Structures are given as C-alpha cells and as structure tokens.
Amino acid sequence: DLKHGYSADDVGRALGIIVKVARFDNEPGRYQLAKKYLSFLLYVQKEDGRFHNFVGYDRRILDEDGGDDTFGRVLMGLGGAVALSTDPSVTILAKEIFDRAIAGRQTGLPLSTYPKAMAYGICGLSDYLKKFPEAPEAGELLRAGADYLVKLYQDNKRPDWDWFEPSVTYANAKLPFALMTAFSILKEEVYLATALVTLKFLTGIQYNGAYFDIVGNKNWLVNGAKRAFFDQQPIEIGCLVEAYCEALRLTQDKNYRDLANKAFRWFFGKNCRGVPVYNLKDDYPLDG
C-alpha cells in the first residue's frame, strides 16, 4: 500500500501467514517467499534489536524506528515462523532475528505499554515458546506482557464495560486472543478468564443477533459515547474469528464455533449493508 517503498509491519504479518499456508501445501514458492521476508526483516533490524518500518524502493531506510506496533507485529510473524516452519533454514533465521529482538530486554517489564503492540508481542512469544519451551527470557517476557494486559483490564473495567482501555478501536479481539495464547503456555487461569470475559464484551457490542455490525473507525467507540457504525475494518472480523477459534479449542464450547462462522459471514454479505466484501472472482497467487 506504500507509494514509496515497503513496510516491516506488512512483511511481518505476511511472514506469519505464508508459513501457515506452507503447512497445508508443498508448493516450494511458499518457503522461498518466507526467506525473502526474513531477509527483509534482517535488513531492517537495528543494533538494539528493534526494527525500522519503512524502506524505499531504493533500499533506503526511511525512519529512525518503526515504533512498538512494528516491533510487536514483526515478533508475531517471527514467532509464527519459528513455531510452524518445516524448513530448517527458515526456522533458524527466524529464531536468530527473534533472539536479537528480545536480547537484553528487562524481563520484569512488558515489551510495550501499548495494548495492541503488547498483544502482538505476546502472540510471537507464545509461538516461540511452543518450539523452545525452555527459553527463560522469552518466558519471563511473556508473563510480564500477559500480566500487564490483565492489569489494564482490571484498571479499566467498569459496569457494562469489560475492556482493557476506555475505548474500542481496531483489531480488538487480538487482545483476548493474546491472553489465550499466553494461557496455553503458562497455564495461568486469570489469563483465560480475562480473555473470555473481554471476548464476551466484544461480542455483545458487535453482534446484533442477526449479523456482526462491528465498530467503525469514525471515532471508534469510547466508553460513555455513541459508537461509530461506518468505516468498518475487515481486520476486526479476522481477529474475532481467530479469537473464537482459540476459545473453542480451549473450552470446547461449541457456541464459539457458531460465533466464528457468523463473524466470517461478514465477508460474504452478512453485514450492515448486505454487501460481500470478499472478491470471489479473482484468485491472486500468494507467491506472485
């Protein structure tokens, strides 16, 4: 989407997707693409382990630091590559970049104070620990991040407001999903309980009984104010489906399967406008 170059945000997310796709087919182009993504992330990694975000088509770095969202999204992609790749060269390089990213961090503190960035990082740390469960630094950082999200929830919850912040914005379900992934590793019941109550809250404000009518980005939803209904973003539905599927896996409650299916139908016209937002006609190759 950039007019003048590439984004580590996008590359990190694409890396996580391509290694998942590679698990379901034997197309060699999948891992070739993953290696290109990893080469890019290695190129933009700074000496302190963090990442530049923007790179021009001429390979010039266009920023001083990509910020916490970039850091979290790249960790999420790298963790997925470490956990899921069946190509040893992909696993090794992803682990190398990941290790450099978390090396020397203060393990008693979360990687970020921004909730979404922290959620992305938790997802990456959880995946990493699936492959390397004895990595102490990653485990301590995961616990610090999950504890931070729980504290945010406890500080911000109000009557009729079971949420981590005073507002609901974008990619919201990534927060409960991250706590569920942390629960899968650390088995702290408070992580799962917080995830399920906040996911229930998101469902209550975005599912009207017939279809998902998600919070739009025109002023979002601030506690005590009227919600925005338009400029709805597909990322919200993607995160909801992901969270419902994880909740189903952890609880075996089939209601989550129903909610995942209903949320997914938003792409096919079960939304407030009754209009499909997925292009059924064109099939764009992932390795193109």
Side-chain angles (χ1 to χ4, degrees), residues 122 126 142 146 177-187 191:
I122 286 171
S126 297
L142 175 62
F177 174 77
L179 280 178
M180 285 186 275
T181 67
F183 168 77
S184 295
I185 300 299
L186 300 175
K187 306 305 179 185
Y191 299 163

Side-chain angles (χ1 to χ4, degrees), residues 1-11 13 40-41 43-46 51-67 69-71 73-74:
D1 294 337
L2 295 173
K3 293 181 179 179
H4 305 295
Y6 307 96
S7 162
D9 269 356
D10 292 339
V11 172
R13 285 181 284 194
F40 177 88
L41 295 176
Y43 180 72
V44 299
Q45 189 167 34
K46 301 166 59 180
F51 301 90
H52 298 285
N53 190 21
F54 299 119
V55 180
Y57 291 127
D58 58 0
R59 299 191 178 186
R60 285 185 304 113
I61 300 294
L62 301 178
D63 58 22
E64 292 188 7
D65 185 87
D69 266 11
T70 295
F71 186 68
R73 285 170 178 152
V74 172

Side-chain angles (χ1 to χ4, degrees), residues 2 122 129 153 162 167 187 243:
L2 295 173
I122 286 171
L129 285 161
Y153 166 69
D162 283 312
S167 60
K187 306 305 179 185

Side-chain angles (χ1 to χ4, degrees), residues 49-101:
R50 289 174 65 88
F51 301 90
H52 298 285
N53 190 21
F54 299 119
V55 180
Y57 291 127
D58 58 0
R59 299 191 178 186
R60 285 185 304 113
I61 300 294
L62 301 178
D63 58 22
E64 292 188 7
D65 185 87
D68 285 13
D69 266 11
T70 295
F71 186 68
R73 285 170 178 152
V74 172
L75 276 190
M76 183 169 62
L78 291 169
V82 169
L84 298 174
S85 173
T86 58
D87 183 316
S89 63
V90 169
T91 304
I92 290 169
L93 183 53
K95 183 179 185 300
E96 176 185 329
I97 300 171
F98 194 103
D99 288 344
R100 288 175 56 184

